[in-house]
Amino acid sequence: MRAQVEGAGMTVAIIGAGRIGEALLAGLLKSGFDPAGIVVAEKDSARAAAVSTQHGVRATTPKDAAAGAELLVIAVKPQDMASLLAEIGPALEPAALVVSLAAGITLDFLQSHLPAGTPVVRVMPNTPLLVGEAMSALSAGGHVGEEQLERAEALLGSVGRVVRVPESQLDAATALSGSGPAYFFYLIDAMIEAGVLLGVPRALATELMVQTALGSARMLRESGEHPALLREAVTSPAGTTAAALAELDRRAVRGAILDALTAARDRSVELGRPR
């Protein structure tokens, strides 16, 4: 038997110790979850051993991880999902909640490959869960009760913020927040390179931009102001900011962003089509 996760009232098994799976594990441990209450399963035995040693949790097989778990998190590649569900389905407890972090895997797919009546939740997290600042969008299947949904939210809430969305909006959430960190990293990287071009040492340019990004995000959240109003407050008539924004508009950056996120949404839809 596995020990209960302290403060969460549930036992947790994580299948898939790749980038997202390990990030969730690390975030849970950083937030105070008891490592004795978490097990991980990973088909790559060397990877499983490394994660087990680094984080102090027990590594086991997917079937063993599923047996007895109250909350089972699946963070494997989409192409591995069907075979994994066939393997673990017979081992699941009837009331076990299955939480899928696999991109593009729909609730219908999960429910059709698991025993009838299995409660299933589909989640799109993002990588800031590694530092306890994830944004996770959650969609529940028809067999999920309110208490189970709150358990999933408690798990994900320990590493960031959680919102409930209908599954019809999950592809858009994937394009916005799931892929969102990459857009910000892309922008900050470009701004650092611009600083170097302008003669600022790279280390200083990095410090300037990272703190600016952090402060701006906090200002946006804590002020409650619309981002357009905050932008206008920084933009003096005929000033440096106005000149920069005019150049971005001249190059249709806003339109490019809209097109990019639409492309991400469309790719998420494509990944979710029946296999």
Side-chain angles (χ1 to χ4, degrees):
M1 293 296 294
R2 301 178 182 85
Q4 279 197 335
V5 178
E6 289 184 356
M10 54 186 163
T11 57
V12 179
I14 300 175
I15 299 180
R19 181 174 56 90
I20 291 296
E22 186 182 11
L24 176 60
L25 171 61
L28 290 174
L29 295 174
K30 285 181 180 180
S31 70
F33 276 64
D34 181 3
I38 307 175
V39 295
V40 296
E42 167 61 44
K43 65 179 181 179
D44 183 336
S45 58
R47 173 68 175 168
V51 170
S52 176
T53 300
Q54 180 176 349
H55 298 286
V57 297
R58 185 168 70 87
T60 186
T61 64
K63 190 172 183 179
D64 180 63
E70 296 175 81
L71 196 156
L72 180 66
V73 179
I74 301 178
V76 301
K77 294 179 180 178
Q79 60 266 32
D80 296 332
M81 184 64 83
S83 60
L84 174 66
L85 296 180
E87 178 184 356
I88 67 173
L92 283 174
E93 296 290 337
L97 175 63
V98 176
V99 178
S100 170
L101 277 59
I105 299 297
T106 65
L107 290 172
D108 281 345
F109 182 95
L110 294 165
Q111 291 170 158
S112 66
H113 286 74
L114 288 170
T118 299
V120 173
V121 169
R122 180 183 172 192
V123 180
M124 173 47 64
N126 59 18
T127 54
L129 59 81
L130 184 58
V131 294
E133 293 292 348
M135 182 68 257
S136 298
L138 177 155
S139 299
H143 303 295
V144 179
E146 180 62 28
E147 182 179 348
Q148 290 173 316
L149 192 53
E150 289 175 359
R151 283 190 165 197
E153 289 177 325
L155 180 81
L156 297 161
S158 69
V159 290
R161 292 176 177 263
V162 187
V163 293
R164 301 183 188 184
V165 300
E167 190 177 25
S168 61
Q169 294 179 7
L170 205 54
D171 292 312
T174 298
L176 288 167
S177 62
S179 301
Y183 314 148
F184 287 103
F185 297 148
Y186 182 93
L187 176 61
I188 295 300
D189 179 51
M191 295 175 79
I192 290 170
E193 291 302 317
V196 173
L197 179 65
L198 296 174
V200 178
R202 185 175 299 277
L204 177 56
T206 300
E207 183 175 0
L208 289 170
M209 292 319 309
V210 170
Q211 181 58 33
T212 297
L214 180 65
S216 299
R218 182 174 177 181
M219 188 176 179
L220 183 60
R221 176 172 292 283
E222 295 184 0
S223 71
E225 295 281 358
H226 192 282
L229 295 178
L230 294 176
R231 173 178 54 78
E232 289 175 2
V234 183
T235 310
S236 302
T240 58
T241 306
L245 293 175
E247 183 65 15
L248 292 174
D249 286 342
R250 187 182 73 81
R251 293 176 179 266
V253 171
R254 182 181 294 267
I257 291 172
L258 295 175
D259 289 344
L261 268 69
T262 299
R265 188 277 315 276
D266 292 347
R267 178 55 177 159
S268 181
V269 172
E270 182 180 354
L271 288 172
R273 287 175 183 154
R275 289 164 173 75

